[in-house]
Structures are given as structure tokens and as C-alpha cells.
Amino acid sequence: MKIEISEIANLPSRFGTFKIQSFKEGIKEHLVIFKEPLGEIPLVRVHSECLTGDSIGSLKCDCRDQLEFALKTVEQNGGMVIYLRQEGRNIGLLNKVNAYALQDKGFNTIEANHQLGFLDDERTYEMVEFILDYFKITKIKLLTNNPKKIESLKHIDIVERIPVIIPSNKFNAGYLKTKKEQMGHLL
């Protein structure tokens, strides 16, 4: 697949001053937010889009808190956040809202995805390897709790996993429990 790559631009934000670059893969436009120096073994967060959490501040998940933690950490230490357009574990916004409706009826996040005909997690990470290769990065310190991300990055040497531990709230405690117990997240 042909990947279109934008120029690099400055992005002052409430978390710090970053550089950004977009990578267009078909209709999906991914974003790299980075702070130099990247160093030999940069800190990297791979974050999948979560409109309800990242933009609206949903308390049903921990996505916004994880993104903000990553941006603050990158601001302080250098590194990058790779923001992948994979809404709702890559089932899309419409299906994510349908999954939320099923969760309102008592299904957990995995059961809701299964009810809609999806796997537990439909995300892929090939684009991460493309981006890291573009930046000539072969070794990283990965900010993640998700073992699938670690396993998926086959051509990248992950020298350290840095946990992203976010306190739960009354709305996402069950969600986090499901991620830990059924998806193997390292919480």
C-alpha cells in the first residue's frame, strides 16, 4: 500500500511543544507527535484513536488518561506518540457505539465485540513498524500495558516496557478488570 507522508510541523499544546507528522494509509491518517531529541532508544507510545475518551473525556475507558500520561512523559523525556486511527479497537465509531449500548445491557467490552461479530481486538500494528523504520528507529522503550502490542512489533527491539498505570473510576473499573483478566493487559 502506498503511504503518503506530510511535512513536519510544530505543535504547541497544553502538554508541551511538539513536532507532528502525518502518515496517510488509504483513508486512515495516522499522526506522529514527537519531541526531540529522540535518542538512540526513544520512548514510544502507540495509541489507538478513541474519540469518546480522547476528545470527549469518556469515563468508560482509560484512553484519554493514557494519552495524556504519554504526552506529558514525552514532553519531559523526548520520544514519540504514534496515534493510530483504529477507533474502538479498529471496529469503527458506529460499531463502538453499538458495543457501548451492549455494555449498557451488561455485556463486558469483549462480549460486546463478539456480539457484533468482531474479535476481542481488531487492531493491527504494521503501520507502527513503517513509521519507526521511516524515522530509522530500531530499538524503543515502549509505553504500554498491552502484551499484544509487544508481540506485534516483530521487527523492533523493545528494550524496556514502561507501564501506563492509571487509577480506575466507578465507570471504568469493570472495563479495566476485563482488560487485565481476559486480554492479559499488564495492569
Side-chain angles (χ1 to χ4, degrees):
M1 173 173 287
K2 182 178 182 254
I3 307 293
E4 292 179 63
I5 303 170
S6 76
E7 297 294 324
I8 294 174
N10 293 315
L11 180 70
S13 81
R14 62 189 185 110
F15 301 103
T17 302
F18 301 100
K19 295 197 178 295
I20 57 172
Q21 188 167 32
S22 181
F23 291 75
K24 186 174 181 182
E25 171 194 28
I27 61 169
K28 291 185 178 185
E29 297 178 83
H30 311 288
L31 185 66
V32 177
I33 306 134
F34 63 100
K35 176 92 175 187
E36 295 174 312
L38 293 176
E40 271 187 57
I41 306 173
L43 183 65
V44 174
R45 164 76 181 161
V46 176
H47 188 88
S48 294
E49 175 184 30
C50 176
L51 179 69
T52 54
D54 298 344
S55 298
I56 303 169
S58 169
L59 298 176
K60 284 188 164 195
C61 63
D62 59 342
C63 301
R64 181 180 185 157
D65 292 334
Q66 287 196 36
L67 178 60
E68 290 182 2
F69 176 89
L71 290 169
K72 289 173 187 173
T73 303
V74 165
E75 167 59 28
Q76 293 168 356
N77 301 293
M80 68 173 49
V81 174
I82 300 173
Y83 193 90
L84 297 178
R85 301 298 301 276
Q86 301 190 106
E87 179 69 50
R89 292 195 195 111
N90 211 20
I91 66 172
L93 189 56
L94 183 129
N95 286 311
K96 179 180 178 178
V97 172
N98 287 337
Y100 271 11
L102 288 167
Q103 290 170 34
D104 291 342
K105 294 176 183 173
F107 292 93
N108 71 31
T109 184
I110 293 172
E111 294 164 343
N113 275 16
H114 292 173
Q115 288 290 311
L116 295 171
F118 297 106
L119 299 172
D120 300 357
D121 191 338
E122 297 275 344
R123 293 177 291 184
T124 62
Y125 299 100
E126 296 86 6
M127 194 64 204
V128 174
E129 290 189 338
F130 178 89
I131 290 168
L132 292 174
D133 184 59
Y134 178 82
F135 278 88
K136 297 181 178 19
I137 295 170
T138 59
K139 297 179 182 182
I140 62 172
K141 293 177 272 188
L142 186 62
L143 272 166
T144 191
N145 300 329
N146 185 347
K148 183 178 177 188
K149 286 181 189 174
I150 297 166
E151 295 163 11
S152 295
L153 299 176
K154 298 180 189 333
H155 303 291
I156 301 299
D157 184 7
I158 300 169
V159 300
E160 183 180 359
R161 179 193 73 88
I162 300 169
V164 184
I165 305 302
I166 305 297
S168 64
N169 64 58
K170 68 180 183 177
F171 301 103
N172 72 9
Y175 169 79
L176 294 174
K177 183 178 181 205
T178 299
K179 281 173 67 171
K180 180 178 182 177
E181 293 176 1
Q182 295 184 28
M183 298 179 81
H185 283 224
L186 306 165
L187 300 175

